[in-house]
Amino acid sequence: MNMNEWSSNVNPALEVNPALEVGNQDFCKEFCLLEEMKMTLYMVTVSLLLNIALAEDCPPQWDNFKDDCYYVYQSNWYTYEEAKTVCAGKGGHLLTIDENEEDLYARGLTDSLCKVDLWIGLRNDESAGEWQWDDGSAPSYTNWAAAEPGNGDCGFLSAANVGRWKAAACSKRCGFICEKTREQSQATTIGPCVSVPVGLESGAITDAQMTASSEFPGGYDAPAGRLNNNHYHWATNFGAQTVGQWMQVDLGRPRKVSKVATQGRGYNNAWVSSYNLKYTDDGGNWLYVTDSSGNPKVFQGNTDTNSVVYQELGDDSFTSRYIRFYPVTWVTWLAMRAEIYHSK
Ligand SMILES: [Ca+2]
């Protein structure tokens, strides 16, 4: 039977009454609207849950957008090369902006989060005579401010230009944005025993939580003793180049401390080459981390001014609220920067 035969065989009683059809349309409109609202609500809920689930795949303090994780350094202390090194140390790279949506997201960070210029991974390769991302690829999307790129070989999101891109000398000091994929994050941070920085470097540990037995005037106080702080560091004062000096961090609550990191002062030659660690929960009864003989354990510190030396505590991990670094030996001056890591 062809279509014409089929349609001519339709029972007229089954044909739609035009009056009913109007009512049906109204009903359908309302019904569809209701269904649409339900669906929207469902989609929003699913999307929210999905976002929460995805965000959990980024390490603490990293922000999630689509398939990537982002970490913003809001202090304008970093040259381009320093920023690049810090990102690499975190298993990522300086931000690459691949499309408009990512640009809008990054510009939003500049606009709402911080008012400092932020390095991105864009550089003028003089041998190639063109701007390239750090991985050597040519940008397929750009958003330069008017009359840019001007002088300078490194690209940044300009706070004054609502996050549009500008060029500057790579020695300029800016904040920066690191990026890595969620897969990279999982590879480096998901595990049964994850060490996470408590936040000396990121600022999650506030200045008030960092104190010291002695501080060099002019900004070289305990709160300056943050890993990768390229402007200042903690240093003891004249007359306090002595064993027994300490830098203390209040973690806010007892945490399982599993790793520490130290750095020299970052310029010229000054660093702590060995140190002890002490901890307490009540601020009164300080305990040394001890070696197998029960003596204060001497941790290997730094051998130059800028490399980061990590010490995994392993079986010496302890749970405590306060921790102190006690420098035992040092070169030139008692000066250091540090980070503390806890297990989740
Ligand atoms: Ca990107």
Side-chain angles (χ1 to χ4, degrees):
M1 164 168 82
N2 64 31
M3 282 302 285
N4 288 337
E5 284 172 322
W6 184 82
S7 88
S8 67
N9 283 341
V10 170
N11 182 343
L14 294 179
E15 284 180 2
V16 175
N17 179 331
L20 281 177
E21 196 180 8
V22 173
N24 272 350
Q25 277 176 351
D26 283 349
F27 169 73
C28 184
K29 266 187 204 159
E30 280 172 22
F31 178 74
C32 291
L33 195 63
L34 194 63
E35 285 303 298
E36 208 170 290
M37 283 166 65
K38 273 195 210 160
M39 184 53 81
T40 308
L41 192 64
Y42 171 76
M43 295 296 282
V44 167
T45 310
V46 166
S47 147
L48 274 177
L49 288 174
L50 203 60
N51 273 335
I52 289 166
L54 292 179
E56 281 176 356
D57 289 342
C58 284
Q61 300 163 14
W62 288 68
D63 192 26
N64 172 243
F65 177 71
K66 290 195 168 176
D67 288 334
D68 294 309
C69 304
Y70 299 84
Y71 193 124
V72 187
Y73 282 74
Q74 303 174 46
S75 306
N76 52 348
W77 287 335
Y78 301 87
T79 66
Y80 184 90
E81 281 302 326
E82 288 167 351
K84 199 172 153 181
T85 304
V86 173
C87 284
K90 292 193 171 296
H93 55 82
L94 280 173
L95 171 68
T96 62
I97 300 176
D98 307 308
E99 31 93 32
N100 185 44
E101 260 187 285
E102 191 178 27
D103 194 30
L104 283 174
Y105 166 75
R107 292 176 64 186
L109 294 177
T110 316
D111 192 36
S112 61
L113 196 59
C114 41
K115 296 291 181 190
V116 298
D117 295 334
L118 300 171
W119 289 125
I120 56 176
L122 192 59
R123 190 159 196 170
N124 186 16
D125 183 331
E126 285 179 358
S127 60
E130 61 181 15
W131 286 82
Q132 294 180 341
W133 294 116
D134 278 339
D135 63 6
S137 64
S140 56
Y141 166 90
T142 59
N143 188 16
W144 294 106
E148 291 289 332
N151 290 332
D153 286 334
C154 288
F156 66 96
L157 303 182
S158 165
N161 296 68
V162 208
R164 292 191 72 191
W165 311 1
K166 291 184 80 169
C170 303
S171 56
K172 173 180 158 77
R173 293 199 174 270
C174 292
F176 57 98
I177 304 178
C178 296
E179 175 186 3
K180 60 181 171 182
T181 63
R182 284 210 315 273
E183 284 78 8
Q184 284 171 321
S185 301
Q186 284 165 0
T188 52
T189 62
I190 303 299
C193 230
V194 182
S195 281
V196 178
V198 297
L200 274 64
E201 182 179 8
S202 72
I205 295 290
T206 64
D207 287 358
Q209 289 173 270
M210 298 177 70
T211 48
S213 56
S214 168
E215 294 169 332
F216 195 88
Y220 305 92
D221 51 13
R226 300 171 185 273
L227 200 74
N228 289 317
N229 178 351
N230 286 318
H231 200 52
Y232 289 100
H233 50 270
W234 169 57
T236 55
N237 208 342
F238 291 106
Q241 303 296 300
T242 51
V243 173
Q245 304 297 334
W246 47 263
M247 181 175 88
Q248 174 179 317
V249 180
D250 174 2
L251 302 176
R253 60 183 166 79
R255 295 186 188 181
K256 186 176 183 187
V257 176
S258 53
K259 185 165 83 169
V260 294
T262 57
Q263 240 179 344
R265 75 174 173 190
Y267 57 89
N268 298 338
N269 280 339
W271 58 84
V272 168
S273 44
S274 68
Y275 58 92
N276 299 137
L277 288 174
K278 276 187 172 182
Y279 59 95
T280 179
D281 262 345
D282 56 14
N285 186 28
W286 288 92
L287 301 170
Y288 276 109
V289 176
T290 52
D291 60 21
S292 54
S293 310
N295 296 316
K297 186 166 182 170
V298 179
F299 291 91
Q300 171 71 50
N302 299 89
T303 55
D304 64 29
T305 195
N306 214 28
S307 305
V308 180
V309 174
Y310 296 93
Q311 291 295 348
E312 294 278 356
L313 299 184
D315 291 342
D316 294 324
S317 294
F318 55 87
T319 301
S320 207
R321 175 174 167 179
Y322 301 91
I323 176 171
R324 280 181 184 176
F325 293 85
Y326 279 83
V328 175
T329 55
W330 54 90
V331 171
T332 312
W333 201 271
L334 203 166
M336 67 183 289
R337 297 170 288 169
E339 181 62 271
I340 297 169
Y341 302 80
H342 67 121
S343 295
K344 289 226 151 180

